[in-house]
Amino acid sequence: MMTTHRWGSVPVPYITPWSAEAVTSAPLTIRHGRLAYEHEGPYDRHDGVLWVRVAYAQGAGRPYFPGVHAWRQRQAVMHDLCQICAEPAHLGGRFLFLLAARDGRPIQEGETTAVPPIHPECARQAVRHCPHLRTGWAAALVTGTPAWGVAGIRYAPGSLVALPGPDPKYPEELARVAYTDDAGLRWVLAAREVIELLDVEPVTDLDAIGRAGVG
Ligand SMILES: [Zn+2]
């Protein structure tokens, strides 16, 4: 059963944040040689990595379509939930991924992404409604989605000085840190879970993909 929120006639993706869900700014400090909150709670870290604090009030206020809700993004990616309707996204042992692609480049084998999987019918809706997909998209059926790392704001090691993002042209873009980079993980405030896409089979016709994931 689909549980998608709506804003007027427009479906609001599960991972879209609402205006009542602001990121809570909490004072940072350095503890045990890593970034920490001054007052840290049991839910501030996942696998030892510090995460941004976000309010949870899905459906309250107005949706902010360009944004991503950090907690729901993590839930969707970790539990293979559709980014639009939050139902399990399995398609006969595979998953459909739909990424923005300004240059039309197909999804690559081993590509890393913070975008959760999507149902074929939700993907068809997304292509119609999402402005960031209108300029180009790439889709693929994928068998494996192992955890790769996190995306977030990096801090200069040993300091509370936030470092600029990876691309000056896109200041909102987050830096990525792999789970193999122990030193990097100590100095990042994570906001997205990042996965790797394996056994990638590009999809060019979304209409040809059904529930079973067969083109
Ligand atoms: Zn869906």
Side-chain angles (χ1 to χ4, degrees):
M1 194 188 75
M2 297 296 159
T3 53
T4 310
H5 281 71
R6 299 190 88 82
W7 179 253
S9 63
V10 179
V12 182
Y14 174 65
I15 61 168
T16 296
W18 292 71
S19 53
E21 296 184 312
V23 170
T24 320
S25 80
L28 293 165
T29 186
I30 296 169
R31 199 182 299 121
H32 307 307
R34 63 183 184 178
L35 198 64
Y37 285 123
E38 274 185 19
H39 303 286
E40 212 169 292
Y43 305 111
D44 286 327
R45 287 182 189 273
H46 299 290
D47 301 320
V49 181
L50 195 68
W51 273 69
V52 290
R53 287 179 181 167
V54 286
Y56 194 102
Q58 193 185 7
R62 300 172 64 90
Y64 177 62
F65 287 102
V68 173
H69 189 273
W71 189 88
R72 286 196 295 275
Q73 184 273 347
R74 186 167 186 277
Q75 289 302 111
V77 161
M78 299 289 285
H79 302 296
D80 302 317
L81 307 178
C82 173
Q83 58 171 290
I84 307 292
C85 71
E87 295 291 323
H90 295 265
L91 295 169
R94 294 201 284 181
F95 301 98
L96 178 64
F97 281 81
L98 175 69
L99 309 184
R102 283 188 204 93
D103 51 5
R105 192 180 66 102
I107 297 175
Q108 308 289 305
E109 180 66 31
E111 184 161 337
T112 56
T113 184
V115 176
I118 192 166
H119 290 124
E121 57 269 42
C122 293
R124 291 189 278 269
Q125 249 183 10
V127 167
R128 276 201 303 277
H129 290 291
C130 297
H132 78 287
L133 294 175
R134 281 196 206 122
T135 48
W137 53 265
L141 285 165
V142 168
T143 306
T145 59
W148 177 87
V150 295
I153 298 164
R154 294 190 83 139
Y155 285 73
S159 83
L160 295 178
V161 178
L163 297 173
D167 189 341
K169 269 195 297 183
Y170 302 101
E172 72 287 356
E173 218 162 86
L174 298 167
R176 290 185 179 180
V177 182
Y179 280 130
T180 52
D181 179 3
D182 289 330
L185 291 173
R186 291 175 161 265
W187 301 102
V188 65
L189 182 60
R192 309 276 187 274
E193 189 76 35
V194 177
I195 52 174
E196 192 175 359
L197 304 180
L198 302 179
D199 298 324
V200 170
E201 183 194 322
V203 168
T204 51
D205 182 5
L206 287 176
D207 292 329
I209 305 285
R211 271 273 175 193
V214 181

